[in-house]
Amino acid sequence: MKFITAILLIFTLAACSKPDPNPELKDPIYSDLQAQVGAATAALEAEKKKLEGFEKDKMEVVPQTGQIKYANKRIYESQAAITRLEQQVEYLKLKVEQRARTAQAAYKKAYANKQEWPDPKEWSSYQAEQKLRNAKRSWDVKARMRDAGVTIDTGLGHGEGAAGGEGHGGGEKKAEGGGH
C-alpha cells in the first residue's frame, strides 16, 4: 500500500505542467474589454428601442403643429447615436480580438521564461489610461480647486468671489438708496 502511494506521489510531483491553452481568460484587460463590449451592445439595443418609440411618436403627431420637426430631430439624433454605438461595438470587438492575441503571445513568453503573468504593472497602466480616457474634458476651475481642497479668501465673507453671489446683501441697499 505504501508502495502504490509512493508511486502516485512521484507521478503527481513529476507531472509536466502544460501551458494554458486560453490564457486570455485570466487577463484582466481582456475581461474589461469584454465587459465594455457588453455595455456598448446593451446601449445599442436600448437606443434602437428608443428609435422605435420615436418613430411611433412621429406617426401620432398632430399635423401642422410643429411637432413633426421635433419628432424628426429626435429620430435623426437617435439614428446618429445608433451609428456611433455600432462603430463603438465594432471597435471594441476588434480590441478584444487584438488583446486575445497579445495576451496569448505575452503568456507564452512569460511561461517560457517562468515569469509572472498577467503583469500587474500592465494592468495598473491600463487602469490609469482608462481613468484618463473617461475623465471629464471640460475645465472647471472652481471644481478643480474644490477637489484639491484649495479655497480662496476674498474678504467678502461666506467664501463667495467678487462676482459669485446671487444678490446676497449688497444689491438691496443700492436699490433702496438710488433714485432720490
Side-chain angles (χ1 to χ4, degrees):
M1 187 67 164
K2 290 182 182 180
F3 181 71
I4 295 173
T5 307
I7 291 175
L8 288 175
L9 184 63
I10 290 172
F11 279 123
T12 304
L13 295 176
C16 63
S17 62
K18 294 181 182 179
D20 187 4
N22 296 317
E24 67 273 5
L25 299 177
K26 295 179 183 176
D27 185 20
I29 297 173
Y30 179 82
S31 300
D32 185 57
L33 289 172
Q34 280 191 320
Q36 288 179 23
V37 168
T41 302
L44 176 62
E45 294 303 318
E47 191 64 37
K48 285 181 179 179
K49 288 182 181 178
K50 281 176 51 177
L51 177 62
E52 289 175 8
F54 292 154
E55 288 173 346
K56 287 180 184 176
D57 291 345
K58 181 181 175 184
M59 295 298 178
E60 298 171 358
V61 167
V62 178
Q64 296 183 351
T65 60
Q67 294 176 348
I68 191 80
K69 288 181 182 179
Y70 180 67
N72 284 335
K73 179 183 175 190
R74 288 191 305 177
I75 289 172
Y76 175 77
E77 289 172 350
S78 182
Q79 288 171 339
I82 287 172
T83 302
R84 182 183 50 78
L85 286 168
E86 286 173 341
Q87 291 173 353
Q88 184 179 9
V89 167
E90 288 301 313
Y91 169 76
L92 289 171
K93 285 180 180 178
L94 291 172
K95 289 286 283 185
V96 166
E97 290 175 19
Q98 176 196 19
R99 183 61 197 180
R101 288 191 300 272
T102 304
Q104 288 173 354
Y107 174 75
K108 288 178 183 176
K109 185 177 180 181
Y111 184 79
N113 296 334
K114 297 190 186 329
Q115 294 175 342
E116 179 184 2
W117 190 87
D119 187 12
K121 291 179 184 177
E122 186 179 19
W123 172 241
S124 62
S125 173
Y126 174 80
Q127 286 178 320
E129 180 184 337
Q130 287 302 104
K131 182 180 177 185
L132 291 173
R133 281 184 189 272
N134 298 330
K136 185 177 172 186
R137 289 188 173 92
S138 65
W139 185 268
D140 186 9
V141 175
K142 290 180 183 178
R144 289 177 54 92
M145 290 175 64
R146 199 175 326 114
D147 292 343
V150 177
T151 58
I152 296 178
D153 185 19
T154 58
L156 297 176
H158 302 297
E160 294 181 18
E166 295 178 4
H168 297 295
E172 296 168 1
K173 287 186 179 179
K174 289 180 186 176
E176 291 175 8
H180 283 89

